[in-house]
Amino acid sequence: MKMKRIVSILIENKPGALARVVGLFHQRGYNIESLNVAPVFDGSYSRMTVATHVSENDVEQITKQINKIIDVIKVADLSAGANHEHEFMLIKFNKLNLATKIQKILKSLNCAILEKSKSVMVMSAYGPSGDIEIAIKTIGKSNLLECVRSGSLGLHEGEKKLTIGDK
């Protein structure tokens, strides 16, 4: 059964490293739902977070293949255990006739209002991807003017971590 999987990858920050990982997904016919990459530590490494919809067997194959890429230090399927998964969003919408819906969104997510005029509101929000989806649906397509999402970011829960030197 296919479900959302979050794969976290610690990779050397070198030209072509990102392309090799993305190429692997392409070669295997897996769609990348979201991809985040940013430097960590001293800038010589990056952490990639890839969200995809695949089966448990497929994610095992993906992690094995990613581990073979020379620039990859470590890879983990965050979905295999307890994890924290959040997403960031900037959203611009027509706020007319949305007063009660806006209050519902503000309560369900960590939000900040960035701009407010008579008819338009811009806000930032972060929280679990499912809550971000609900907020967008609550606002509705007819009121949505623009939306930018970071995609999933994740960490293992508890003591487990993805760092250099961990086994």
Side-chain angles (χ1 to χ4, degrees):
M1 180 168 99
K2 289 186 178 186
M3 61 183 280
K4 184 175 182 177
R5 303 287 178 163
I6 308 295
V7 178
S8 191
I9 306 160
L10 189 60
I11 191 165
E12 291 183 44
N13 199 2
K14 293 182 177 177
L18 169 64
R20 283 186 277 284
V21 172
V22 171
L24 185 139
F25 277 81
H26 171 70
Q27 290 169 350
R28 304 286 185 269
Y30 301 124
N31 187 44
I32 293 176
E33 185 177 293
S34 70
L35 172 67
N36 283 287
V37 185
V40 293
F41 309 120
D42 62 359
S44 57
Y45 300 95
S46 288
R47 180 151 177 171
M48 298 175 63
T49 306
V50 181
T52 187
H53 273 83
V54 294
S55 70
E56 188 172 335
N57 201 31
D58 290 338
V59 79
E60 286 176 26
Q61 288 299 325
I62 289 168
T63 56
K64 286 177 186 176
Q65 294 297 313
I66 290 172
N67 264 320
K68 293 179 183 179
I69 298 172
I70 194 144
D71 301 320
V72 171
I73 307 301
K74 199 167 185 183
V75 62
D77 173 15
L78 296 182
S79 310
N83 67 75
H84 299 282
E85 181 265 341
H86 275 67
E87 187 174 333
F88 177 78
M89 163 179 74
L90 293 172
I91 189 164
K92 182 188 292 185
F93 55 92
N94 180 349
K95 73 175 193 175
L96 299 176
N97 304 319
L98 284 178
T100 56
K101 289 182 180 183
I102 292 168
Q103 292 306 313
K104 181 179 175 183
I105 292 166
L106 292 172
K107 287 179 184 176
S108 69
L109 291 169
N110 296 296
C111 298
I113 297 171
L114 305 175
E115 177 187 340
K116 196 176 356 178
S117 70
K118 285 183 181 180
S119 62
V120 173
M121 183 179 280
V122 176
M123 69 181 190
S124 65
Y126 73 90
S129 294
D131 292 351
I132 295 286
E133 286 289 337
I134 290 168
I136 292 169
K137 287 178 183 171
T138 300
I139 290 169
K141 287 182 182 179
S142 61
N143 294 310
L144 186 65
L145 301 173
E146 281 186 272
C147 182
V148 180
R149 296 170 66 173
S150 69
S152 296
L153 296 171
L155 292 172
H156 288 288
E157 224 178 66
E159 301 293 322
K160 194 171 181 182
K161 57 188 186 238
L162 184 72
T163 60
I164 298 170
D166 281 355
K167 295 182 179 179

